[in-house]
Amino acid sequence: MHATLPLLEETDFPAIRRGKLETLQVNLGYRCNQQCLHCHVNAGPKRKENMERETAEQLIEFIKAANIKQLDLTGGAPELNPNFRFLVIEARKLDVHVIDRCNLTILFEPDQEDLAQFLADHQVEVVASLPCYLKDNVEKQRGKGVFDASLAALKKLNHIGYGKQGTGLTLNLMYNPQGPTLPPSQVELEIAYREHLQDFGIVFSNLLTLTNMPIQRFGSTLISKGEFEGYMQLLRDNFKQENLNNVMCRSLISIDWRGYVYDCDFNQMLNLPAMLSNQPKTHIKDLMQTNIDGKAIVIKDHCYGCTAGQGSSCGGAL
Ligand code: SF4
Ligand code: SF4
């Protein structure tokens, strides 16, 4: 795989600082039952990195100390980590909103038969990747058999109330483009998704669009095809100043499977730790008494992926 960081080091992206910290985004490890082409984590079934209980306990302590409002669990497939359910249960006891970034097919993995009900019982918001409503496009990106399994998983979630009004169970779908283009309008695409998924009897809460980041597997593919520079130019040409105030790193920190802190998940994947102490890397256990509001954010050229067009974040368009 080609390294992308050397191509992103030199940047004229504007300096940004942290606002109020509200969200703890936690990457529980890189193991996943899938191996998607666009994956910025390079996750897959053979990855061994997995968060341990001691780190998960430190995260709960941090949530209490920093009065965190939202816990966003990602991976890999976060549900494969034995501490996933511990984190959900403990965070919900503190009335923290919990998001599970779910790849849908995980619901049919061995030992996960009760996962959907567990999520519902704890009112976890499910954000599910479904990069298109057309089978061919989904399977090109996520692998054979993934489309049918994803629809079956959505039906299972709908069956227990997810995506239905009045249940309090949020089911958001996440779209990202197939290739080196910006996502279309989130509002218009949501209408198209609703129409197509209605044919299968599937409902959902909202569609979130995400711009592909020129890093890891997607970035490497761009380099192989000679499309890296063109994609970066597209991101730069579509820079929107108004998106800068809302980039997600202003209100979240991202934690890796060992407990180290980054300004966002993308920086985590580029091994660019947050500059929050005089150490090269800051561990979450050393942040318990520290107010990080106003600290400078580590930026590189990939940050243009967050500000292009309608903007992009883990919560969709900005
Ligand atoms: S399901 Fe998600 S974490 Fe797993 S390989 Fe695909 S993009 Fe990566
Ligand atoms: S890539 Fe990360 S650090 Fe850069 S603007 Fe986006 S969220 Fe912030």
Side-chain angles (χ1 to χ4, degrees), residues 32-36 38-44 75-77 103 129 142 217:
C32 187
N33 56 316
Q34 289 185 193
Q35 201 160 2
C36 308
H38 69 279
C39 184
H40 69 270
V41 186
N42 286 341
N103 68 15
S129 326
R142 297 177 80 79
R217 211 175 279 157

Side-chain angles (χ1 to χ4, degrees), residues 128-180:
S129 326
L130 191 69
C132 190
Y133 44 72
L134 299 175
K135 182 169 180 166
D136 277 3
N137 285 345
V138 171
E139 302 209 337
K140 226 182 274 165
Q141 195 177 101
R142 297 177 80 79
K144 210 169 156 32
V146 168
F147 185 73
D148 290 340
S150 298
L151 293 195
L154 289 171
K155 284 180 187 169
K156 186 171 183 177
L157 289 166
N158 279 169
H159 184 69
I160 54 174
Y162 268 103
K164 295 190 174 164
Q165 282 183 353
T167 61
L169 297 174
T170 304
L171 171 58
N172 289 332
L173 301 183
M174 193 133 222
Y175 162 90
N176 62 287
Q178 301 283 315

Side-chain angles (χ1 to χ4, degrees), residues 42-283:
N42 286 341
K46 292 191 181 141
R47 298 294 299 256
K48 299 273 184 265
E49 300 86 347
N50 229 358
M51 182 174 284
E52 292 188 354
R53 175 58 73 105
E54 188 186 2
T55 312
E57 286 170 354
Q58 288 163 347
L59 292 177
I60 296 297
E61 286 313 305
F62 182 77
I63 286 172
K64 288 182 199 161
N67 197 19
I68 293 292
K69 303 279 181 256
Q70 181 160 274
L71 176 65
D72 186 340
L73 298 173
T74 181
E79 308 89 344
L80 289 176
N81 186 302
N83 298 306
F84 172 81
R85 295 191 188 208
F86 164 78
L87 282 170
V88 170
I89 291 167
E90 294 303 313
R92 291 299 297 136
K93 278 187 202 161
L94 300 169
D95 208 23
V96 170
H97 180 75
V98 180
I99 299 173
D100 174 27
R101 299 203 173 259
C102 175
N103 68 15
L104 294 174
T105 58
I106 192 71
L107 295 183
F108 303 114
E109 286 294 300
D111 301 330
Q112 300 292 342
E113 295 83 2
D114 63 341
L115 177 63
Q117 194 58 53
F118 171 82
L119 297 172
D121 289 346
H122 294 86
Q123 294 210 295
V124 175
E125 173 184 334
V126 173
V127 177
S129 326
L130 191 69
C132 190
Y133 44 72
L134 299 175
K135 182 169 180 166
D136 277 3
N137 285 345
V138 171
E139 302 209 337
K140 226 182 274 165
Q141 195 177 101
R142 297 177 80 79
K144 210 169 156 32
V146 168
F147 185 73
D148 290 340
S150 298
L151 293 195
L154 289 171
K155 284 180 187 169
K156 186 171 183 177
L157 289 166
N158 279 169
H159 184 69
I160 54 174
Y162 268 103
K164 295 190 174 164
Q165 282 183 353
T167 61
L169 297 174
T170 304
L171 171 58
N172 289 332
L173 301 183
M174 193 133 222
Y175 162 90
N176 62 287
Q178 301 283 315
T181 55
L182 293 182
S185 148
Q186 183 168 280
V187 176
E188 286 167 25
L189 193 63
E190 182 175 297
I191 295 169
Y193 261 69
R194 278 201 202 288
E195 283 172 7
H196 280 82
L197 292 179
Q198 221 163 38
D199 294 344
F200 301 98
I202 290 169
V203 291
F204 61 94
S205 309
N206 296 105
L207 179 79
L208 314 176
T209 56
L210 186 72
T211 301
N212 286 320
M213 275 286 160
I215 63 173
Q216 299 290 63
R217 211 175 279 157
F218 183 75
S220 176
T221 307
L222 291 178
I223 295 172
S224 302
K225 292 183 172 173
E227 294 174 343
F228 189 88
E229 249 323 298
Y231 187 64
M232 279 310 308
Q233 199 54 48
L234 176 78
L235 299 180
R236 280 191 216 104
D237 288 347
N238 286 280
F239 174 76
K240 292 261 164 43
Q241 179 75 28
E242 58 266 36
N243 290 331
L244 210 51
N245 282 340
N246 299 320
V247 285
M248 61 184 176
C249 50
R250 300 202 65 235
S251 59
L252 70 71
I253 51 173
S254 162
I255 313 295
D256 74 12
W257 62 279
R258 290 157 304 182
Y260 288 104
V261 185
Y262 305 78
D263 288 311
C264 71
D265 198 39
F266 306 124
N267 284 9
Q268 183 182 144
M269 294 315 133
L270 286 167
N271 198 17
L272 291 170
M275 305 288 285
L276 299 174
S277 64
N278 51 11
Q279 301 297 317
K281 279 186 162 193
T282 307
H283 197 275

